[in-house]
């Protein structure tokens, strides 16, 4: 039930955002993340955006791991 | 979805490489508890239990909100929906959960006005559109959902929607983990912490797991690469004899969580005792409406009093939720209790451990 899916904000009006989830447009409340703006990805749970997704962090986590593995391959 | 990283977090090759790393470093026996039902489902869906080395044992914990809701609250919702002036609104998962003598689905079939909503805001809309009815929202959930319930209460107040109220049965995760650890029944070596609860509360509330109990804990995302990477982080700590609280799911969980949402939550609610299925009352693990918002409490408003609530004597849900037993230890699993005819909530909710076991073909051996 704590499922949340990332969705891109298409437009914002009166603290309600229109987002795209898997090709479908949906209205979600921005009451919990008033700082979110158009083009942000937000995590959507039960009709609310609950967090702005940090794309840079997303890539960093992956890169970091790839580096660790490459390093370990070199050592072993 | 065209997010580059989403694809990468589902990348089979990367997943296999991480698995290889886990196998290389993991020597000690490791009992890892996934606290969150969404993790349970994702772990089964991607077959992660089967591919991990044998010394790593994944056990499911108390993180399915539908499952931990005891019959007392379900009976309250049933009492309420029997009132002719009430429209009961709820998330779909609650419909089939058996209470002491009935279920919401059975009541609906008998003519009760019960409406499944996707969002708490839908419930407020229904109240606004039906001023002559009393609209009650059956509020279950953890910190992911509770701020949305608080936001709905605030909106009802702001817009003067006076015929809206809630059955508050929400729970707080970190204190529940503390209760599990204090009972010390399971011997967990590492915690897979819930990603979306943490998106709201951040990392601080979990620090005690490492500092007071010496157990590693990592906040982990829900894609297969997330889960394996998170397990790798846990195993690394376990093998080194260390205990830290870390975040793997950094794209969704800033260390501070979402303070704005938490402020909204705690402007409407304050911590209180909560009743957990199979566990009983745990102080400080629930949320109650603050004095200024007490009029939104449906149970008080309509004078509902439940006595004689009871749970099915054969159902082991409570033990499953504490990680003490698996569904395979329940005599009713797969026989009297199947998803089409569930005896307990752990078989109803898609995130219930019994339902996940059943869906992914776990059978009793011998
Ligand atoms: S299999 Fe059914 S009866 Fe047994 S513990 Fe799970 S939900 Fe309860």
């Amino acid at each position: 039930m704590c499922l949340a899916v990332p969705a891109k904000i298409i437009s914002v009006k009166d603290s309600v955002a229109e987002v795209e989830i898997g090709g479908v447009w949906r209205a979600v409340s921005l009451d919990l993340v008033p700082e979110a703006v158009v083009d942000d990805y937000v995590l959507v749970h039960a009709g609310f955006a609950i967090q702005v997704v940090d794309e840079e962090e997303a890539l960093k986590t992956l890169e970091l791991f790839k580096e660790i593995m490459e390093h370990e391959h070199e050592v072993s | 979805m065209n997010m580059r990283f989403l694809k990468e977090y589902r990348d089979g090759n990367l997943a296999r490489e991480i698995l290889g790393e886990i196998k290389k470093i993991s020597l000690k026996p490791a009992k890892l508890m996934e606290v969150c039902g969404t993790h349970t489902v994702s772990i089964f869906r991607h077959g992660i239990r089967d591919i991990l080395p044998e010394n790593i044992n994944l056990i499911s914990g108390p993180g399915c909100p539908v499952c931990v809701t005891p019959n007392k609250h379900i009976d309250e919702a049933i009492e309420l929906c029997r009132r002719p002036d009430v429209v009961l609104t709820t998330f779909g998962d609650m419909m089939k959960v058996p209470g002491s003598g009935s279920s919401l689905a059975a009541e609906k079939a008998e003519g009760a006005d019960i409406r499944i909503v996707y969002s708490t805001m839908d419930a407020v809309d229904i109240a606004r559109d039906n001023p002559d009815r009393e609209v009650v929202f059956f509020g279950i959930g953890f910190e992911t959902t509770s701020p949305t319930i608080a936001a709905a209460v605030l909106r009802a107040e702001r817009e003067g929607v006076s015929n809206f109220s809630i059955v508050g049965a929400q729970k707080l995760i970190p204190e529940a983990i503390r209760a599990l650890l204090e009972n010390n029944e399971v011997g967990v070596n590492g915690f897979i912490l819930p990603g979306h609860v943490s998106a709201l509360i951040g990392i601080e509330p979990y620090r005690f797991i490492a500092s007071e109990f010496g157990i590693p804990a990592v906040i982990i995302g829900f894609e297969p690469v997330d889960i394996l990477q998170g397990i790798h982080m846990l195993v690394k700590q376990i093998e080194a004899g260390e205990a830290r609280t870390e975040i793997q799911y950094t794209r969704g969980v800033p260390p501070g969580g979402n303070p704005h949402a938490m402020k909204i939550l705690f402007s409407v609610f304050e911590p209180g005792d909560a009743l957990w299925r199979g566990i009983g009352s745990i102080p400080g693990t629930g949320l109650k409406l603050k004095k200024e918002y007490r009029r939104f409490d449906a149970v008080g408003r309509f004078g509902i009093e439940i006595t004689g609530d009871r749970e099915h004597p054969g159902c082991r849900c409570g033990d499953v939720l504490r990680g003490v037993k698996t569904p395979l230890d329940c005599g009713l699993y797969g026989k009297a209790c199947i998803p089409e005819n569930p005896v307990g909530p752990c078989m109803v909710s898609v995130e219930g451990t019994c339902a996940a076991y059943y869906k992914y073909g776990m059978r009793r051996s011998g």
Side-chain angles (χ1 to χ4, degrees):
Chain A
M1 221 192 88
C2 295
L3 194 67
V5 291
K8 190 175 181 171
I9 298 184
I10 313 285
S11 66
V12 178
K13 198 179 160 224
D14 299 337
S15 87
V16 174
E18 202 149 29
V19 303
E20 191 217 311
I21 303 176
V24 182
W25 288 37
R26 261 209 152 118
V28 303
S29 166
L30 292 184
D31 279 5
L32 304 178
V33 282
E35 74 277 18
V37 292
V38 170
D39 283 346
D40 274 351
Y41 278 95
V42 285
L43 290 173
V44 175
H45 166 75
F48 282 77
I50 56 165
Q51 187 57 268
V52 179
V53 180
D54 190 331
E55 283 196 76
E56 249 173 62
E57 278 293 337
L59 296 174
K60 226 160 64 188
T61 316
L62 283 170
E63 292 310 319
L64 207 81
F65 201 82
K66 283 180 181 161
E67 262 171 44
I68 295 173
M69 287 194 304
E70 271 159 30
H71 177 72
E72 289 192 4
H73 288 313
E74 278 163 24
V75 178
S76 57
Chain B
M1 253 169 287
N2 51 2
M3 290 169 93
R4 187 177 148 227
F5 58 78
L6 202 55
K7 210 173 81 218
E8 298 210 2
Y9 279 95
R10 289 180 184 166
D11 176 13
N13 286 330
L14 187 54
R16 264 185 295 277
E17 278 200 58
I18 302 171
L19 180 65
E21 290 301 319
I22 293 174
K23 286 186 172 157
K24 220 187 298 172
I25 63 166
S26 181
L27 303 169
K28 295 184 189 167
K31 241 189 219 179
L32 309 181
M33 177 179 271
E34 85 262 3
V35 174
C36 167
T38 311
H39 273 137
T40 304
V41 171
S42 191
I43 284 166
F44 271 109
R45 180 179 301 140
H46 299 292
I48 290 174
R49 275 175 191 243
D50 304 332
I51 55 174
L52 288 173
E54 262 176 27
N55 58 312
I56 301 180
N57 187 0
L58 297 185
I59 44 177
S60 305
C64 155
V66 171
C67 307
V68 296
T69 303
N71 278 3
K72 180 165 179 283
H73 293 308
I74 297 162
D75 295 350
E76 285 168 351
I78 288 169
E79 274 303 303
L80 282 160
C81 81
R82 285 177 174 166
R83 289 177 59 109
D85 54 341
V86 164
V87 179
L88 188 87
T89 56
T90 180
F91 293 135
D93 263 14
M94 285 313 292
M95 292 297 288
K96 276 168 69 186
V97 181
S100 302
S102 181
S103 69
L104 292 174
E107 296 296 318
K108 192 175 165 76
E110 291 289 316
D113 193 346
I114 303 175
R115 304 187 198 175
I116 294 173
V117 291
Y118 164 68
S119 156
T120 55
M121 289 305 191
D122 300 342
V124 180
D125 286 342
I126 293 172
R128 204 196 41 218
D129 297 343
N130 296 274
D132 53 332
R133 308 287 302 278
E134 285 289 339
V135 176
V136 178
F137 178 72
F138 190 4
I140 63 154
F142 299 138
E143 289 91 333
T144 323
T145 314
S146 292
T148 77
I149 299 173
V153 168
L154 290 179
R155 193 184 131 208
E157 182 178 67
R158 210 166 47 231
E159 297 180 3
V161 181
S162 58
N163 57 330
F164 174 76
S165 58
I166 62 167
V167 175
Q170 305 109 277
K171 313 256 187 294
L172 300 170
I173 282 291
E175 285 308 303
I177 296 178
R178 179 186 286 281
L180 279 184
L181 286 172
E182 280 170 357
N183 276 346
N184 196 21
E185 292 176 297
V186 191
V188 174
N189 306 108
F191 279 97
I192 295 173
L193 295 175
H196 292 139
V197 163
S198 309
L200 280 300
I201 71 174
I203 192 171
E204 289 309 319
Y206 301 111
R207 295 259 187 226
F208 73 93
I209 302 174
S211 65
E212 290 178 39
F213 294 90
I215 299 171
V218 179
I219 296 167
I220 298 176
F222 298 93
E223 301 299 335
V225 167
D226 287 316
I227 293 172
L228 287 168
Q229 190 175 3
I231 290 175
H232 181 260
M233 290 165 81
L234 282 169
V235 166
K236 240 166 73 178
Q237 290 195 46
I238 291 169
E239 294 301 326
E242 294 166 352
R244 278 189 314 278
T245 315
E246 298 178 311
I247 309 175
Q248 176 277 333
Y249 190 34
T250 51
R251 66 187 183 282
V253 182
N258 180 343
H260 176 76
M262 294 308 280
K263 209 169 123 201
I264 288 179
L265 174 62
F266 287 112
S267 67
V268 175
F269 295 99
E270 61 194 7
D273 300 351
L275 268 182
W276 295 70
R277 175 178 297 269
I279 302 174
S281 178
I282 315 178
T285 60
L287 289 168
K288 59 173 198 236
L289 285 158
K290 283 183 154 173
K291 209 150 111 235
E292 322 74 288
Y293 295 99
R294 251 334 109 90
R295 66 181 181 285
F296 288 96
D297 170 35
V299 171
R301 185 155 161 166
F302 299 103
I304 303 294
E305 248 179 84
I306 298 298
T307 48
D309 53 302
R310 52 184 176 81
E311 286 166 18
H312 192 288
C315 175
R316 299 268 76 94
C317 250
D319 297 334
V320 171
L321 292 166
R322 299 200 313 282
V324 182
K325 288 209 154 66
T326 79
L328 304 183
D329 300 320
C330 171
L332 303 179
Y333 173 81
K335 293 182 198 151
C337 184
I338 52 172
E340 297 75 47
N341 186 23
V343 171
C346 300
M347 189 60 95
V348 177
S349 170
V350 282
E351 295 187 347
T353 307
C354 301
Y357 265 61
Y358 195 81
K359 179 165 180 198
Y360 292 97
M362 302 286 284
R363 297 286 179 262
R364 219 177 265 115
S365 52

